[in-house]
Amino acid sequence: MTQDEMKQAAAEAALAFVEEGSIVGVGTGSTANHFIDGLGRMKSRIRGAVASSEASAERLAGHGIELFDLNHVSEMPVYVDGADEIDASLAMIKGGGGALTREKIVAEVATRFVCICDETKQVEVLGHYPLPVEVIPMAQALVARELSALGGRPVPRAGFVTDNGNLILDVHGLEIRDPAGLETAINQIPGVVTNGLFARRGADVLLLATPNGVRKLT
Ligand code: 5RP
C-alpha cells in the first residue's frame, strides 16, 4: 500500500463522521483533498462546507459543494484535516501547506476535530517536522530572533505567501516536550499570526491509516 493509498483510506473513513444536512469544516493538503473528493460523492447529503484555504475552496467548488463564509456559520459538527505530525495526546504540527491560520480558525468553530493521517505522521515527540509559524512581514526578523531564543532554527519558506498575505518561518531543531506551552509562548511574540502547533485544541479523533487498515484513536 502506498502512502497516498493510506491517505485515501483515512479520508474515506472520515466520511462516516459527516452528519446529514450539516456544514462540514474542511482542511487543506493531499489527505484533505481525498476527503473533499469523497465529500463530492455525498454532496446531496450535506448543506455545504467551510474551507480552510483557497486551494480547498476551489476543489470543493469543483465538486459543486456550496461554500459558506465562516462568519455565517455558528454550528459545525465536524472539521476534517490532515497533519504533519501527531503524538499520542493527539497534539499536532500542521501547516506544511501553509494554511495553518485558517485551519486553526475553522477547527475552533467545529465541535469535533477528526484528523486523517497515514501512519508515517505518528510520532512520540513533536518537532522532527519543522514547525511552521505565520508571520506578518515587517516582524520577520524580530520573530526569527525570538524563535531562535526558544531553541529553534527558523528558516523563511522561500517564495511562499499565505492566503492571508503573510510569510512562513519553518522552525527546525525543536524537540517539543510541552506542545501546549510552546504553542502559547510562540503566540505571545508580536508579529506572529499563528503557529502550527495544534495542542491547546488538538484532535478529538485520529483516523490513522496503516497497511492493515484504518485505526481509530481518541
Ligand atoms: C496544510 C496542513 C496539512 O494538513 C498537512 O501539511 C498534511 O498535509 P498532507 O495531507 O498533504 O500530508 O496542515 O497546512
Side-chain angles (χ1 to χ4, degrees):
M1 205 174 189
T2 66
Q3 187 180 16
D4 193 58
E5 284 166 342
M6 285 194 279
K7 289 181 180 195
Q8 185 168 12
E12 290 290 326
L15 296 172
F17 289 79
V18 173
E19 293 187 10
E20 294 276 333
S22 69
I23 295 174
V24 185
V26 176
T28 298
S30 55
T31 317
N33 280 346
H34 285 303
F35 177 70
I36 293 170
D37 295 344
L39 216 47
R41 296 196 306 271
M42 58 178 288
K43 67 178 176 199
S44 61
R45 290 164 46 203
I46 60 170
R47 267 184 76 198
V50 175
S52 61
S53 63
E54 300 297 336
S56 290
E58 198 176 313
R59 197 175 185 101
L60 286 158
H63 283 291
I65 295 172
E66 186 175 351
L67 293 169
F68 284 80
D69 179 331
L70 187 64
N71 289 308
H72 301 144
V73 175
S74 54
E75 214 172 294
M76 186 189 294
V78 73
Y79 175 75
V80 178
D81 199 357
D84 298 302
E85 283 186 348
I86 185 160
D87 71 10
S89 73
L90 306 193
M92 296 164 278
I93 286 182
K94 291 186 42 54
L100 57 159
T101 298
R102 294 190 187 191
E103 290 172 345
K104 206 175 271 197
I105 293 168
V106 182
E108 190 71 23
V109 173
T111 307
R112 199 143 68 141
F113 187 138
V114 176
C115 180
I116 47 177
C117 282
D118 66 88
E119 64 177 3
T120 65
K121 307 291 185 72
Q122 201 179 33
V123 298
E124 264 185 42
V125 180
L126 298 171
H128 184 71
Y129 191 93
L131 175 66
V133 180
E134 181 164 355
V135 179
I136 290 178
M138 74 169 286
Q140 179 180 344
L142 163 69
V143 174
R145 283 193 297 274
E146 297 285 332
L147 290 170
S148 298
L150 287 170
R153 190 165 47 81
V155 177
R157 196 176 293 185
F160 187 85
V161 178
T162 70
D163 284 348
N164 313 308
N166 297 313
L167 309 173
I168 297 280
L169 293 174
D170 289 308
V171 189
H172 296 249
L174 294 171
E175 195 180 283
I176 305 172
R177 299 274 170 190
D178 174 14
L182 186 63
E183 180 180 4
T184 302
I186 293 175
N187 283 342
Q188 301 307 315
I189 304 170
V192 168
V193 180
T194 337
N195 70 81
L197 277 167
F198 285 56
R200 289 177 48 254
R201 199 265 190 265
D204 301 295
V205 177
L206 168 60
L207 298 173
L208 188 72
T210 75
N212 302 318
V214 178
R215 289 172 58 206
K216 178 182 161 197
L217 293 107
T218 52

